[in-house]
Amino acid sequence: MQFLRQLIDQFRQLWRGMSLWRRIGLTTLTAACIAAIIGVGIWASQPDYRVLYSGLSAEDAGAITAKLQTQGVAFRLSAGGTTIQVPAEQVQQLRLDLAVEGLPSHSGKGFEIFDDAPLGMTPFMQQVNYSRALQAELSRTIMQLDPVAQARVHIVRPDPTPFIRDQKPTTASVMLKLKPGATLSHAMANGIVALVARSVEGLTPDNITLVDTNGHVLSEEHAGDSGASAASWQLEYRQELETYLASKAEGMLAQVLGAGHAVVRVTADINFKTVREKRETFSPEDRVVTKEQITSRKQGNTSSAGRGAAGTATNLSRQPVTTAPTGSNSQDETVETDYAVSKSTQEMEDKVGNIDRLTVAAMVELPKPDKDAAGPTMSLAEAQDIIKQAVGFKKDRDEIKVTGVKLAPADSPAEGDGGYMELQRWQSYASLARQASLGVTALVVLVLGWLVLRRFRPVQAAETAAEQQPQFRMREQLSAVAQKDPEVLARLLTTWLEESGPTTRAAA
């Protein structure tokens, strides 16, 4: 208590000795320090929130928040209500509890809808629930694909009819919401169509329509119906081809020069025209006799005596008729031959995707010649030959340009997946700041206390020096007298002893 009183008294003395502006500054600084300490304490005492789920739909977010409210769990919403944050120590347990409840459902309940089916369910209700469950299961399966954020599947089954002419096929439509910056390749779109077609009885790929949230048709059978869809598919095919050829060339150069020492870009001119051609070739030398017919004809005329000219007079007159013996013979032969000439028929079709021209541009960082190198270094011409062989270069068709340059170091690839990873990073920074703020606050308190004590220490030291100053001076005077005249000092000490003697005896 005495030390506290002395401290208060000294503070009062300092306060009286300060000017008005110093008093205002000290008061402001003290208030700011106290407010900072209180604010840091309140902030550090709050729980550390972590992401429970992100990228939720409005239905799933509402169902999850309602469940958290019934359990009395504190939560926060961010990213427009699509991300839910809860205290870090409850994240894992809440995920397990919500998974038991079927949350988040993403696209509704799957076949678990039949777990609580009522007893009086009609066949129509069973059929409707089966369609709903099948649509939800397909949506969940499609959402397992990396570029897909959300998916909705709609299956339309026509009413059965006994008449064949009135039967209609089963159809389906799939709506996809892709992740930010993600693209759906042509092969992946065909895979989704095949997945849905083989999951529904009576459904064919031609009756499935695949679209994204921007209204672009992604299914293959509609590629030719829309010019934009066809152009998109052609651009995708061209980009894949160019990337494939460039990666082959860069991979071969990286084996010698090292990674990041060569950049190859390929531009391909693709012919997307479809040409059908039919050819028939005849070979007259290669002929075969299929039919041969020979026709012969003989003709002869002969005259004999006793016969006259033909007619009624000759027959009635009975007169002999004498004719000169004459005769003539003729023979004709006709040959008809049928030949089969060999014929060759060819039907050719130039499919889409023929390469008309390749333009290759490359920048290569060649190593400097080193006499101590174990093997020969690569030249610019050798690098050009390697690129030609890798991309399938044709002399009269393609063009290539290779330049030796000094390449800048490649930047490190960006990590994380958009907003979720960024949120996790900031949360880790906030946790470190929360822990560090407590230590900084304690350090500030120690520094302020040390400054206050240092401010008071000179006063105490001055008082102590003031109290000890007479004794110090007396000691110096006695020492000087002892050096100059020891007898005077002896008489002085004897006098002090005689004066102190009666006082000592009286006390005894």
Side-chain angles (χ1 to χ4, degrees), residues 275-314:
V275 179
R276 294 182 178 89
E277 183 179 0
K278 183 177 182 180
R279 294 181 180 179
E280 291 186 359
T281 305
F282 297 90
S283 179
E285 291 81 6
D286 301 334
R287 57 182 181 177
V288 179
V289 178
T290 59
K291 180 180 180 182
E292 185 175 8
Q293 181 178 2
I294 301 175
T295 304
S296 299
R297 186 179 62 180
K298 294 181 179 181
Q299 182 177 4
N301 296 326
T302 304
S303 301
S304 58
R307 291 188 179 181
T312 306
T314 303

Side-chain angles (χ1 to χ4, degrees), residues 12 23 247 272 282 314 319 344 374 463 502 504:
R12 289 177 179 174
R23 292 179 182 180
S247 62
F272 291 101
F282 297 90
T314 303
Q319 295 288 334
S344 176
E463 293 178 355
T504 304

Side-chain angles (χ1 to χ4, degrees), residues 54-58 61-62 76-85 423:
S54 62
L56 297 173
S57 61
R76 293 190 306 189
L77 297 177
S78 60
T82 60
T83 301
I84 300 177
Q85 298 178 355
L423 183 60

